[in-house]
Amino acid sequence: MKNLKDNPDEGFSLLEVVVAILMIFFFTTTALQMLVVSSFFKKQATQYTTAINLIQQDMEKIKSAADTYSLTTALTNTSCNPTTSSSGMATYFMNSLPTTATGISNTAYTVTVNGNAIIYNAVIGTPTLLKSQYYWLLRNQTVSTDAPYNVLKLNYVVQAGTATSPYTDASTAIDLLVRTPLSTSYTEVIPYASLQCPSQ
């Protein structure tokens, strides 16, 4: 009979070595690809979270200001019966925002979001620097065209960049914002003063 005992001098065959090398190469390559993909998604998640937080913070500031904006805040009862949106309570409230941390700059940027061209302004206090990336919070604020003109409409866009100023020229501003907005949002705010108006 043939001796089936292992020979201690025998090594791996060439085929076994090649298969082992191929398996190590395959698993190492896959693991490295997963690391690259995970770091990309981690960066995207960080940017998106930062953008959402910036929008949320500004919304909360405006809602807080709207809650404390009463008829005693240098308003007259004539704003309780507005005939146009420019004399409505939301306009009075909107015009008071530049004196707070929720004000906007005078520089306007035209941005196309979902096929609609909207003029945005940079919110005062931006850009926010986080991990060598600047985040620009842009806001468009308009008053409802429906009586009693007490609804303030807020549209937001957050854009990431490496510059300390958002853009060098208008064409770059439009092009960059259309390509890569990190986040967009919309909300409506009613100032408390409009709820204090006597019922008609």
Side-chain angles (χ1 to χ4, degrees):
M1 284 186 68
K2 187 176 179 182
N3 188 358
L4 296 177
K5 289 184 178 178
D6 291 334
N7 185 347
D9 295 329
E10 283 185 2
F12 293 104
S13 68
L14 181 60
L15 180 61
E16 291 173 326
V17 171
V18 170
V19 169
I21 290 173
L22 287 176
M23 288 180 66
I24 291 171
F25 176 77
F26 173 76
F27 286 115
T28 304
T29 304
T30 303
L32 290 175
Q33 285 177 343
M34 297 310 288
L35 282 174
V36 171
V37 170
S38 67
S39 65
F40 172 75
F41 282 118
K42 182 179 178 182
K43 181 180 178 182
Q44 276 195 327
T46 301
Q47 288 181 332
Y48 182 73
T49 302
T50 303
I52 293 298
N53 286 340
L54 288 173
I55 292 173
Q56 189 67 32
Q57 287 171 7
D58 193 66
M59 280 184 185
E60 292 301 324
K61 287 178 184 176
I62 292 180
K63 287 178 181 178
S64 176
D67 288 344
T68 59
Y69 193 75
S70 65
L71 286 177
T72 58
T73 315
L75 289 175
T76 63
N77 285 331
T78 57
S79 59
C80 285
N81 300 305
T83 55
T84 64
S85 62
S86 61
S87 61
M89 196 68 71
T91 300
Y92 284 105
F93 172 66
M94 181 177 67
N95 292 336
S96 75
L97 288 177
T99 61
T100 70
T102 60
I104 54 177
S105 68
N106 293 326
T107 307
Y109 304 96
T110 303
V111 184
T112 303
V113 178
N114 298 328
N116 299 320
I118 303 174
I119 297 175
Y120 288 84
N121 297 83
V123 175
I124 291 173
T126 57
T128 300
L129 180 60
L130 180 67
K131 294 185 180 179
S132 303
Q133 184 95 53
Y134 288 98
Y135 293 86
W136 286 91
L137 176 62
L138 305 176
R139 185 176 76 221
N140 166 273
Q141 51 193 36
T142 56
V143 176
S144 172
T145 55
D146 299 325
Y149 314 111
N150 60 356
V151 177
L152 180 61
K153 299 179 178 182
L154 303 172
N155 282 288
Y156 290 93
V157 167
V158 177
Q159 175 62 39
T162 55
T164 54
S165 59
Y167 313 100
T168 55
D169 59 78
S171 61
T172 304
I174 296 169
D175 202 27
L176 189 58
L177 278 167
V178 169
R179 281 189 212 150
T180 55
L182 293 177
S183 182
T184 60
S185 187
Y186 171 80
T187 190
E188 295 179 351
V189 176
I190 299 176
Y192 175 64
S194 65
L195 303 177
Q196 293 180 301
C197 289
S199 58
Q200 303 300 318

